[in-house]
Amino acid sequence: MATKTDDVLDPMRTIGTKFLALVAVLGIAALITVEAIIHQLRHGLAVTDLASWGTQEGVTWGLYIGTFEWFAGMAVGSIAVVGYVRYRELTRYDVIARIGELWGLISGLSAAYLIVIDLGRPDRVLNILTAWFVTVQYSPLAWDVTFVTALLVMTSTMLILSLRRDFSEMDRDSLPVYTALIGEVLTAGYRPAEREKLDSMLRWLGLALLILAFTGGMVPGWLLGVVGAQAGWYGGIAGVSFLAGGLLSGVAVIALIAGVMRYVYDWETVLPTDVLIGLGKALTLFGFVYLVILFNELLPSIFPMAPLAESRVGEAMLYGHFAADFWLAMAAIAIPVVALAVFRERMLISGTGLAVASVIMLWGVFVKKQLTVIEPLMYPSGLPYEVGSYVPTLVEWVITIGAILIAILLFVIATKILPMGGPTGGQQSTTEVNEQ
């Protein structure tokens, strides 16, 4: 009879034709993305539709920064989930935590990559790093670089420590050679007496990740919110809005991955229905909170006493040339929230409903992030310039979609070389049993 541990490890032991086909397709997409990046490096940002606002009637930030905000938000939400699971020692959610660790790290790397792409010349990163001690005192971009770096370091540390604990309890002879080799490296010098210390380190690092998510996690929102001259960006709610969207998209992407893996690998015992219901409740809560914050963010800009520049941005969003995109994004968030609240048991019993709701909400957040970044830049504040325009070029679309597909490729490969949980994955801890 197969055990839960066998179910968790089985996907690593076989590499089927469907997996190879998926990797091949994603690999081709990655090569096309690399070609687009080389093309942009060769010809500069002239291959994009980015331009100075005002006299050039363009926008200075576009698809790259909008997608950066989306990836950074998913990273924040992912580490928040990981932090909560590890701090509360919810071993029943160990697989969820591992998904969050991997996707949080991949999202952080993707966000950093998009910052570099938007700079035009990658060597400009050196200017940011060498001047960091000065610019961190006043530059939101330097704050952003600091946050992303801290996120990558802490998430990597959590992943390494949790893998060290998991590998220490596994029979590595039953694992694929490459996985066993990783296990040997990560458990070098391990002693049984270390287990209690590892548990304690993971718990307190989980608390640190929660603190990072709910404090530093607002920094990408501040990147826009402190720009006083730009209508539609400036305001004290920008950081909170980013955090709420990040929590929603982070839980959504973890729920999506969990639903897909449950279906593909028949993980009914590893990811039981009550775990999916827990994710569904989190999605419902964070989706509702995000909608409330978006309402409060938009209301001042459409009120009669709003400054002219602010009202132009708000009107364009509600019933101007961005209205269709805005309302579709809001519907993509609101409808799944209502459906999850009303039909939670029926939607989550198989995991398919959760995955569908999650992907719709992720798309809604993605569109809203693009509108948040791009739309205000089309309305120069206090200056008699024409309304700007922005239509992403083929190069921008290829690099942006390629970033998403490369992130998926990295995760898919990771599932074949790293265990998605330890020997206790999917089982309740004593604490969880006592709480029920």
Side-chain angles (χ1 to χ4, degrees), residues 287-306:
F288 175 74
V289 170
Y290 187 45
L291 288 171
V292 171
I293 290 175
L294 289 179
F295 174 77
N296 281 272
E297 188 178 42
L298 188 61
L299 179 63
S301 66
I302 60 174
F303 201 70
M305 289 186 289

Side-chain angles (χ1 to χ4, degrees), residues 273-293:
T273 302
D274 62 312
V275 170
L276 301 183
I277 290 176
L279 291 172
K281 289 179 179 178
L283 265 184
T284 307
L285 173 63
F286 291 139
F288 175 74
V289 170
Y290 187 45
L291 288 171
V292 171
I293 290 175

Side-chain angles (χ1 to χ4, degrees), residues 146-160:
T146 304
F147 164 70
V148 172
T149 303
L151 182 146
L152 291 174
V153 170
M154 293 179 67
T155 307
S156 300
T157 304
M158 175 65 83
L159 178 61
I160 291 170

Side-chain angles (χ1 to χ4, degrees), residues 30-49 64 113 117 120-122 393-399:
L31 291 175
I32 294 172
T33 304
V34 171
E35 170 59 28
I37 293 171
I38 293 173
H39 180 73
Q40 179 173 303
L41 290 174
R42 189 174 295 164
H43 299 283
L45 290 176
V47 301
T48 71
D49 195 42
Y64 297 154
Y113 147 81
I117 290 297
R121 282 172 35 198
T393 63
L394 179 61
V395 171
E396 290 178 88
W397 279 115
V398 169
I399 291 177

Side-chain angles (χ1 to χ4, degrees), residues 338-417:
V338 174
L340 286 169
V342 177
F343 307 108
R344 184 171 62 222
E345 301 292 339
R346 274 178 281 179
M347 286 187 66
L348 302 180
I349 193 168
S350 67
T352 306
L354 178 64
V356 171
S358 298
V359 75
I360 293 172
M361 296 172 94
L362 280 170
W363 178 82
V365 176
F366 177 83
V367 173
K368 183 60 180 71
K369 293 297 182 184
Q370 305 300 333
L371 293 177
T372 298
V373 171
I374 297 168
E375 191 252 357
L377 289 171
M378 298 176 68
Y379 294 88
S381 300
L383 296 172
Y385 293 131
E386 295 294 325
V387 176
S389 64
Y390 173 68
V391 179
T393 63
L394 179 61
V395 171
E396 290 178 88
W397 279 115
V398 169
I399 291 177
T400 300
I401 295 174
I404 298 171
L405 295 179
I406 290 172
I408 296 173
L409 175 62
L410 292 174
F411 186 88
V412 167
I413 293 174
T415 63
K416 290 296 181 181
I417 63 176

